[in-house]
Amino acid sequence: LRNLPSKDWTVNQGWVLAANLGHDLDCWLRLLTLHDQPGLDRAEPDTMRYRLYHLPARLAAHARRRHLRIERTWPWAQAFVLAWQRLTNLPALT
């Protein structure tokens, strides 16, 4: 408990909640989109951060649309694109 960011308990509650939400989102991303990708299906959070979350790309705007331009030589570009396609193809909650 001494690694928490504040001495105030209410601030630490918010920090723990945010950390738990981030962990849950990371687990659901791997479960729903990366289940068949070797090396990413059971990856640790540091590996996910290095391979997918810190992606070398540029956000470009043209004709009122935004395009994400991913570096072609990036080794995990196909895994990122596949994960993005699977996420956008999930059915809406009813």
Side-chain angles (χ1 to χ4, degrees):
L1 290 175
R2 67 189 115 158
N3 291 333
L4 292 173
S6 177
K7 294 184 189 267
D8 185 21
W9 177 244
T10 56
V11 173
N12 289 335
Q13 280 180 322
W15 185 83
V16 169
L17 178 65
N20 284 335
L21 284 172
H23 178 71
D24 287 348
L25 286 173
D26 187 50
C27 290
W28 277 108
L29 176 75
R30 282 186 279 121
L31 179 70
L32 292 174
T33 64
L34 300 170
H35 53 83
D36 59 350
Q37 297 296 310
L40 292 175
D41 55 346
R42 295 185 181 268
E44 295 290 325
D46 287 342
T47 305
M48 293 291 291
R49 189 179 313 119
Y50 173 72
R51 292 184 181 179
L52 288 183
Y53 301 152
H54 292 162
L55 84 141
R58 290 181 303 157
L59 187 60
H62 177 70
R64 297 184 186 180
R65 300 191 77 174
R66 293 184 185 199
H67 302 278
L68 186 64
R69 306 213 186 263
I70 301 173
E71 183 68 35
R72 292 176 196 232
T73 60
W74 186 46
W76 298 283
Q78 292 300 323
F80 179 83
V81 170
L82 179 66
W84 183 260
Q85 289 171 347
R86 287 179 177 172
L87 281 176
T88 55
N89 289 335
L90 286 174
L93 293 174
T94 57

